[in-house]
Amino acid sequence: MADPYAAYRVMRDDFPLLHHEPTQSYIVSRYEDVERAFKDPAFTTENYDWQLEPVHGRTILQMSGREHSVRRALVAPAFRGVPLQETFQPVIERNARELIDGFRDAGRADLVAEFATRFPVNVIVDMLGLDRADYDRFHRWYTAIIGFLGNLSQDPDVAAAGLRTQQEFAAYMLPIIRERRANPGDDLLSTLCTAEIDGTAMSDEDIKAFCSLLLAAGGETTDKAISSVMHNLLRHPEQLAAVREDRSLIERAFAETLRYTPPVHMIMRQPAEDVVIGGGKVPAGATVTCLIGAAGRDDRRYADPDTFNIFRDDLKTTTAFSAAADHLAFALGRHFCVGALLAKAEVEAGVGQLLDALPDMVIEDGYTPREQGVFTRGLDALPVRFTPVG
């Protein structure tokens, strides 16, 4: 829990294919094996039937073939190009500013509790055109869903909270979806309700499930990424100074953070047939746990992988937020994260505004930030002090 990277190194070097009895899964940890599990059609996402469906319903992650490609084509345009830049970028900027205004005069803040965990959830609520008074409700749902997905020990209370959330979220969203179909606006939810390709549209249940997935996947990655980017930069003052001087380097800092301290440390896949990987055989239908957190530190792929370096030349920033990425934090292949560009826009806006508002920010004296989590991983707190700026 304190430092999984030492264990990851042992797995990569000595046990590249490890059968893990408690989770009944086969763990792969080397970059080439994780990359293959994401790209090779022999590896399916049928594991999401039991992993995701209880809290989300059936999402595009469980789909394959034409069903998947059509559903992805229906939602993807809203997360890139003109819709992202012109419609949602102002929403992102406003939410970052409002949260920072809440503590910029205090001289101290916890960037996790007061900014990172709130920012992406608030953005998603606003993008969907939902009631801003429900921010806290969505944050509670978000927390319960993430708890369910990371419940590797099968704590019954955590599982029950996740299942309750599915019911509460459906009861909240389905009436609003029906209303937006009748009276669409210029928000993301209306876009999903009216999108159509070759006569195929999303059902109410499809839209509800996608919104639930967006809340969890979009919230979790950005939440942990922003605090990790800030922590990594604060621990490397010379790189922080470079980013302050040239804000285009935030993109590099984000890409390197996705390699070095990724928000999601493991993603599962399920082979449709017996496969040989990591030097051994995995039977059809077994769960394969792909250790993203280990693959990003693989010295077979990256030079000096345990060093945070936004200037490294073996990680391409130009492709880091596309399906051609050479890190694995957004997965790869046909299930590459549809919201990667949204996450990039949020991180760039959030980190940029934090640097503007808190120009002499440092980690609070005597505090050592700690990462927590196995399935997803991030800081539990990041207290900083700074000179208040009105």
Side-chain angles (χ1 to χ4, degrees), residues 355-387:
L355 295 179
D356 287 341
L358 319 176
D360 58 353
M361 163 179 39
V362 294
I363 297 173
E364 189 71 73
D365 293 341
Y367 187 83
T368 301
R370 300 178 299 272
E371 286 188 350
Q372 288 188 336
V374 176
F375 186 80
T376 61
R377 187 170 177 84
L379 299 177
D380 60 347
L382 183 58
V384 296
R385 58 178 175 83
F386 50 88
T387 302

Side-chain angles (χ1 to χ4, degrees), residues 260-279:
Y260 181 70
T261 49
V264 179
H265 270 229
M266 58 182 71
I267 290 179
M268 282 71 166
R269 290 291 186 260
Q270 183 173 313
E273 58 195 48
D274 292 356
V275 295
V276 174
I277 189 170

Side-chain angles (χ1 to χ4, degrees), residues 25-97:
S25 72
Y26 292 80
I27 299 176
V28 292
S29 50
R30 291 181 179 174
Y31 183 98
E32 64 175 353
D33 293 330
V34 174
E35 180 186 38
R36 180 189 163 197
F38 289 156
K39 288 184 171 181
D40 189 336
F43 291 85
T44 75
T45 57
E46 290 183 12
N47 53 287
Y48 287 145
D49 291 349
W50 57 264
Q51 192 177 11
L52 297 185
E53 194 156 339
V55 285
H56 290 315
R58 192 163 184 269
T59 73
I60 58 174
L61 292 179
Q62 288 104 293
M63 298 175 186
S64 59
R66 185 177 185 278
E67 182 185 32
H68 171 263
S69 62
V70 169
R71 293 299 187 282
R72 189 178 179 95
L74 286 168
V75 302
F79 295 93
R80 62 180 183 235
V82 172
L84 179 58
Q85 290 299 316
E86 295 187 3
T87 304
F88 300 129
Q89 189 68 37
V91 173
I92 294 168
E93 298 282 352
R94 183 186 70 237
N95 274 282
R97 183 172 58 251

Side-chain angles (χ1 to χ4, degrees), residues 10 19 26 66 87 143 171 190 212 259 261 264 272-273 280 298 309 312 317 346 354 366 370:
V10 174
H19 184 255
Y26 292 80
R66 185 177 185 278
T87 304
T143 302
S190 297
S212 178
R259 179 201 69 81
T261 49
V264 179
E273 58 195 48
D298 192 343
N309 178 14
R312 65 171 53 251
T317 308
E346 289 177 307
L354 285 168
R370 300 178 299 272

Side-chain angles (χ1 to χ4, degrees), residues 223-257:
D223 167 357
K224 289 179 165 54
I226 286 178
S227 57
S228 289
V229 170
M230 293 305 305
H231 181 223
N232 289 333
L233 290 174
L234 288 166
R235 288 178 56 243
H236 298 84
E238 72 293 342
Q239 296 183 58
L240 174 59
V243 172
R244 285 193 184 279
E245 183 69 23
D246 179 2
R247 297 303 172 81
S248 70
L249 293 177
I250 296 174
E251 181 181 49
R252 280 183 169 269
F254 185 21
E256 174 66 346
T257 292

Side-chain angles (χ1 to χ4, degrees), residues 126-140:
D126 283 5
M127 286 177 63
L128 292 170
L130 302 173
D131 191 342
R132 303 186 95 202
D134 289 328
Y135 279 166
D136 287 343
R137 180 186 298 192
F138 273 83
H139 190 267
R140 176 171 55 82

Side-chain angles (χ1 to χ4, degrees), residues 292-315:
I292 295 170
R297 300 285 189 103
D298 192 343
D299 59 9
R300 298 160 189 79
R301 173 62 183 80
Y302 300 106
D304 196 14
D306 292 321
T307 297
F308 179 81
N309 178 14
I310 67 174
F311 299 108
R312 65 171 53 251
D313 58 12
D314 51 6
L315 182 66

